[in-house]
Amino acid sequence: MTFPWPVGSATGIGSMPGTDIAEAQRIVLGELPDLPHLPELPARGPGADMIGRGGALLTELPVELYAGRWRIASRPGHDLRVARDFLERDLDTMTEQAAEFTGTFKIQVPGPWTLAASLQLPIGGAVLRDHGASRDLAASLAAGVAEHVASVRARLPHATILLQVDEPSLPAVLAGRVPSESGYATLRSVDASVARAALSSVFSAADVPVVAHCCAPDVPLDLLRTAGATAVALDLSLVSTPEQLDALGQQLDEKMGLFAGVSGRSPATTVRDLWRKLGFPLTSLAVQVVVTPPCGLSVPPVPVLRALRDAGRRLTDDL
């Protein structure tokens, strides 16, 4: 098996505490040299958050803040400029610090269904409630992601780009658990084939390997793989029942990569224990698995990232 990341590597999920992007990027490049990523700093405020960043990527579909929530707007305005300025500043910092990087570099974007569940329509209510609007949103995001990846490739000409698509809301979208605007009802579920088509359009538009990230329970692993994801990133603490283990094992047997979200003092042990439960040989572990935190970081990042890096390298002992 070959995967588009180094053997025995570790990486972050994306978000980190703080407001200094230059310092955050230095930390990532220093502590995660095998598979660094572009940090996200939501503490800077609206526009630096996941949904604001997703809005900054959309083409011909402007967004704005209204009553503290992002919604589709009639024309570009101040809020969208702020979000795009944050993104441009982050990319400029990445270029300054990593222009000569020659390995695999990961960037993150929100997925179409998390955006559809979080962005509001101009008339109110989530985009998700309107299937036509959801399709338009996915198409806009696919075009924006293609442009974004092309920009990163131009800025990091020697690197291999890996795209992480964040879909924390996907299980709720598929199960019909997304609350309506009133909060007294839920929006209708999205059929798996419709969800797969939208995800596939975004994955294929990127034209780079894709890691699908979901830190919620009940991750639809088969749907993500068949939509085109090279790997899935999930919180291992949420994979505990025989049914969940079996589902994960089936996808790994199909040569899907795993970004294993772990916490605690012994991340390498946690990952090895899972691998043994699944019945796979330890010789494939460091090749197929990347060690990560369970989700974004809200604590000082250096000790966490250093522990993950060391855990990834310890997995190579089994080769």
Side-chain angles (χ1 to χ4, degrees):
M1 291 184 294
T2 58
F3 293 93
W5 52 77
V7 173
S9 57
T11 193
I13 289 299
S15 63
M16 292 171 56
T19 59
D20 186 340
I21 185 60
E23 176 63 15
Q25 188 68 83
R26 277 194 295 271
I27 289 172
V28 167
L29 289 167
E31 301 299 335
L32 301 170
D34 298 323
L35 183 51
H37 65 285
L38 179 65
E40 299 168 357
L41 305 180
R44 291 179 294 181
D49 60 296
M50 180 174 66
I51 303 306
R53 174 141 297 183
L57 295 172
L58 298 176
T59 61
E60 300 181 7
L61 200 61
V63 297
E64 64 183 0
L65 276 172
Y66 179 76
R69 304 184 72 179
W70 288 98
R71 71 175 183 180
I72 305 300
S74 58
R75 62 180 64 87
H78 171 76
D79 299 323
L80 181 56
R81 286 195 298 273
V82 169
R84 288 177 172 168
D85 284 347
F86 276 133
L87 178 57
E88 190 68 19
R89 192 181 313 164
D90 293 355
L91 292 175
D92 286 345
T93 301
M94 176 198 72
T95 307
E96 291 168 5
Q97 298 190 23
E100 301 304 316
F101 183 73
T102 58
T104 301
F105 193 96
K106 182 170 71 68
I107 57 176
Q108 304 82 223
V109 301
W113 296 109
T114 292
L115 280 180
S118 303
L119 280 173
Q120 302 293 297
L121 293 163
I123 58 173
V127 169
L128 183 64
R129 80 178 197 179
D130 184 323
H131 285 195
S134 296
R135 285 194 300 271
D136 292 344
L137 178 66
S140 176
L141 179 63
V145 164
E147 293 178 3
H148 181 49
V149 171
S151 174
V152 174
R153 275 175 155 168
R155 290 167 177 268
L156 305 182
H158 310 296
T160 297
I161 306 304
L162 184 65
L163 178 69
Q164 175 182 305
V165 177
D166 293 316
E167 278 288 14
S169 298
L170 181 59
V173 167
L174 294 170
R177 297 196 304 262
V178 176
S180 64
E181 189 175 17
S182 69
Y184 294 110
T186 56
L187 301 179
R188 59 182 173 176
S189 62
V190 172
D191 186 79
S193 63
V194 174
R196 183 182 295 107
L199 289 164
S200 182
S201 69
V202 175
F203 294 176
S204 60
D207 196 30
V208 295
V210 170
V211 179
H213 168 240
C214 181
C215 52
D218 305 319
V219 180
L221 298 171
D222 186 67
L223 186 154
L224 293 171
R225 181 182 61 80
T226 55
T230 299
V232 62
L234 46 78
D235 181 349
L236 287 196
S237 70
L238 301 178
V239 182
S240 57
T241 68
E243 294 77 14
Q244 291 169 329
L245 289 167
D246 185 57
L248 178 58
Q250 288 180 22
Q251 301 310 314
L252 294 172
D253 201 40
E254 293 287 342
K255 307 303 183 272
M256 193 177 198
L258 173 63
F259 280 48
V262 290
S263 58
R265 295 185 177 182
S266 304
T269 300
T270 301
V271 177
R272 279 196 183 101
D273 288 346
L274 172 77
W275 213 245
R276 290 190 180 98
K277 286 181 182 178
L278 294 173
F280 293 118
L282 289 179
T283 51
S284 66
L285 177 54
V287 176
Q288 197 165 357
V289 173
V290 174
V291 185
T292 77
C295 211
L297 293 176
S298 59
V299 298
V302 172
V304 176
L305 298 183
R306 188 167 297 168
L308 295 173
R309 178 195 66 200
D310 293 344
R313 292 179 177 176
R314 280 200 294 275
L315 297 183
T316 63
D317 295 341
D318 300 314
L319 293 175

